Amino acid sequence: MDETTDALAHALRDVRQQVDNAARSANRPTPRLLAVSKTQPAARIAALAAAGQHAFGENYVQEAATKIAELGPLGLEWHLIGHLQSNKAKDAATLFDWVQTVDRDKLVTALARHRDAARPPLNVLVQVNIDDEASKHGCQPDEVAPLAAAIAAEPRLRLRGLMAIPTPWPDLERRRSAFAQVRRLYDGMQATHPGVDTLSMGMSEDLTVAIAEGATMVRVGTALFGRRPATTQPQDAP
Ligand SMILES: *Cc1c(COP(=O)(O)O)cnc(C)c1O
């Protein structure tokens, strides 16, 4: 193992330990760990995969396309966790195993239309906007049920649950209350759609609180890969 591979393997062990501990104290099953690999080169993703990590999250369709092509032979599981523009729905339905950011009907139709019938259905999460007034991404809480119904009606899609990115309030108790609100929406979705099994919330800084409030998947970047370069990543061109 070279130095980087070794460091990544250590970070993975530490994060898994933290996730395990949080689940144990909350008396919940251990959540899945999604490694958020935006801005990370394919070689570092391959190194983390060699250490045993299987699922990776990317924010930008174009950036992901290159990495997925390069890392295809590793058989990794790819999640889109960034905002999806409708004109990128075809690429997203082709490249990814999961899309976590479905927040409007138009995307449901487009993803279903473009998912290859020869492949398993595309796994889909509804993204809900709980308290982030600065962002237009994510549907409103009262739109979750109709959107879930639309997804469930599409044979090429598989409704798996709910995803949220609450405002990162410095006060963790304020974050906890946002996570608890998402959890209540998730419970409602599960009551209507018993196949639903995924509540994606919590990142490097607040995964312990998210797990205590019921997350079944945490999305972790910085704690695995280290701090990303400060340069802002351009959004996919419209
Ligand atoms: C970048 C990102 C993460 C990971 O954030 P860290 O703080 O680096 O762990 C999780 N979810 C989404 C949607 C992201 O964009």
Side-chain angles (χ1 to χ4, degrees):
M1 265 202 250
D2 64 25
E3 207 179 327
T4 308
T5 307
D6 207 30
L8 286 170
H10 267 103
L12 180 59
R13 254 197 318 276
D14 287 351
V15 169
R16 283 202 176 142
Q17 191 69 58
Q18 196 188 339
V19 168
D20 275 351
N21 290 345
R24 202 170 308 115
S25 348
N27 233 328
R28 296 182 188 283
T30 300
R32 292 193 71 194
L33 174 61
L34 183 71
V36 175
S37 48
K38 62 184 169 209
T39 77
Q40 302 297 334
R44 301 195 82 205
I45 298 173
L48 200 61
Q53 177 62 27
H54 178 63
F56 290 85
E58 287 282 340
N59 290 60
Y60 309 100
V61 173
Q62 275 160 351
E63 181 189 334
T66 317
K67 298 181 196 174
I68 295 173
E70 189 169 335
L71 298 169
L74 297 182
L76 303 173
E77 183 181 288
W78 293 98
H79 294 233
L80 180 66
I81 59 170
H83 176 67
L84 178 58
Q85 289 162 340
S86 301
N87 63 352
K88 294 276 189 333
K90 182 179 181 188
D91 288 342
T94 308
L95 288 165
F96 289 92
D97 303 294
W98 292 61
V99 173
Q100 298 204 3
T101 49
V102 172
D103 60 2
R104 56 201 190 279
D105 272 320
K106 198 176 168 191
L107 276 184
V108 175
T109 320
L111 289 170
R113 173 155 24 95
H114 293 297
R115 182 64 171 185
D116 188 338
R119 294 178 64 197
L122 181 69
N123 297 292
V124 167
L125 301 182
V126 172
Q127 182 184 356
V128 63
N129 186 335
I130 280 295
D131 63 357
D132 188 356
E133 278 153 29
S135 166
K136 290 190 284 289
H137 302 162
C139 71
Q140 291 306 301
D142 64 354
E143 295 169 326
V144 168
L147 212 41
I151 295 163
E154 292 286 357
R156 301 313 307 142
L157 305 181
R158 183 169 166 207
L159 176 68
R160 296 297 292 265
L162 199 58
M163 181 270 210
I165 316 170
T167 303
W169 305 110
D171 174 5
L172 274 187
E173 287 313 305
R174 206 161 165 193
R175 293 194 205 185
R176 181 188 300 280
S177 114
F179 288 140
Q181 284 179 64
V182 182
R183 166 69 188 281
R184 282 192 288 278
L185 288 168
Y186 175 72
D187 288 344
M189 186 192 280
Q190 217 175 24
T192 316
H193 306 278
V196 155
D197 60 2
T198 304
L199 176 53
S200 168
M201 60 185 192
M203 318 201 289
S204 295
E205 274 199 333
D206 54 19
L207 64 89
T208 300
V209 179
I211 292 168
E213 296 305 322
T216 73
M217 180 184 289
V218 289
R219 309 179 306 263
V220 178
T222 310
L224 288 169
F225 288 108
R227 290 184 60 136
R228 289 177 291 275
T231 52
T232 52
Q233 181 74 11
Q235 292 283 338
D236 285 322

